[in-house]
Amino acid sequence: MPTPPDPERPRPARVVEPVRVLRARPTDALAELMRELMPEPGEGARNKPPAESEEDTEELPPVPAEDPAAAPGPRRRRWAVAVAPAAAVLVGFGCALLLPGRQEPTAHPAPSPVPAAPSNTAKADPDGPGTLRQGDSGPEVTELRRRLLRIPDVFHDGPATGPYDARLAAAVARFQLWYGIRGDETGVYGDDTRRDLESRTGPG
């Protein structure tokens, strides 16, 4: 079997060398722009318009000085601006003082008097309701005397009847001291003293 012919070898191609592209740098463009805007000293002198001669200029007449007495100066204006508000405040304050009803000093209204409690209502007793003290009388005082007579050595030979006198108050104070009763005033037959005495003497 015949062998196939060798394929043709590729022809040698020409090697292409890279082309170098030169681009203008931004600094070059800026320098060129500056040259256009700011011409060189020689060129500027040529393009500059000729200076005007002194003959073409005109001198204005001097301004006449104002009389300081005729027109107020800046210092007088400042002084007037500063004094005007102060004068307005003083005038307003004086008018406010002259108005009726402003002459009296402002005072807080006096508190209304608290109505007195009616005499028939009894004040709350700190020793409890039904408290007996020196000067009282009645069946409750008699019951107190009889109960104290049952406690030994508290109410020596005391009468079973009579008002709440100093001798009975001393007996009540002695009973409170001996039995450590602290809830009532000394010598006053209050709730704490009543409970303790009734518990020791039984029903009346």
Side-chain angles (χ1 to χ4, degrees):
M1 183 175 178
T3 58
D6 293 335
E8 294 182 3
R9 293 182 180 179
R11 296 178 182 175
R14 184 180 174 189
V15 179
V16 179
E17 294 181 2
V19 179
R20 187 174 181 184
V21 178
L22 297 176
R23 294 182 181 175
R25 295 183 181 177
T27 54
D28 298 340
L30 183 60
E32 189 174 337
L33 180 64
M34 292 298 290
R35 272 193 229 105
E36 291 177 5
L37 293 177
M38 299 177 65
E40 293 183 7
E43 295 177 3
R46 287 195 297 267
N47 296 335
K48 187 176 180 183
E52 296 180 359
S53 61
E54 293 181 0
E55 297 174 357
D56 297 339
T57 59
E58 238 179 83
E59 188 174 343
L60 295 175
V63 179
E66 295 182 359
D67 186 11
R75 289 184 182 176
R76 290 188 179 181
R77 287 188 196 132
R78 289 178 195 161
W79 184 79
V81 168
V83 169
V89 169
L90 288 175
V91 170
F93 185 69
C95 292
L97 289 177
L98 295 176
L99 288 175
R102 296 275 183 164
Q103 295 178 357
E104 304 105 14
T106 306
H108 297 290
S112 58
V114 179
S119 58
N120 56 358
T121 59
K123 291 170 70 177
D125 199 319
D127 299 311
T131 301
L132 299 176
R133 60 185 73 241
Q134 192 169 349
D136 292 341
S137 60
E140 292 183 349
V141 177
T142 303
E143 183 185 353
L144 170 61
R145 286 176 172 271
R146 290 178 181 169
R147 286 182 182 275
L148 285 176
L149 286 171
R150 295 182 199 171
I151 305 295
D153 300 326
V154 171
F155 194 35
H156 294 291
D157 300 327
T161 59
Y164 200 119
D165 55 5
R167 188 174 179 186
L168 182 60
V172 172
R174 193 177 303 115
F175 176 76
Q176 291 169 337
L177 178 65
W178 286 1
Y179 294 96
I181 301 168
R182 300 182 181 276
D184 298 324
E185 294 180 49
T186 303
V188 175
Y189 188 58
D191 286 346
D192 295 335
T193 309
R194 182 189 300 273
R195 277 193 297 270
D196 196 275
L197 182 60
E198 288 177 357
S199 67
R200 294 177 189 278
T201 56

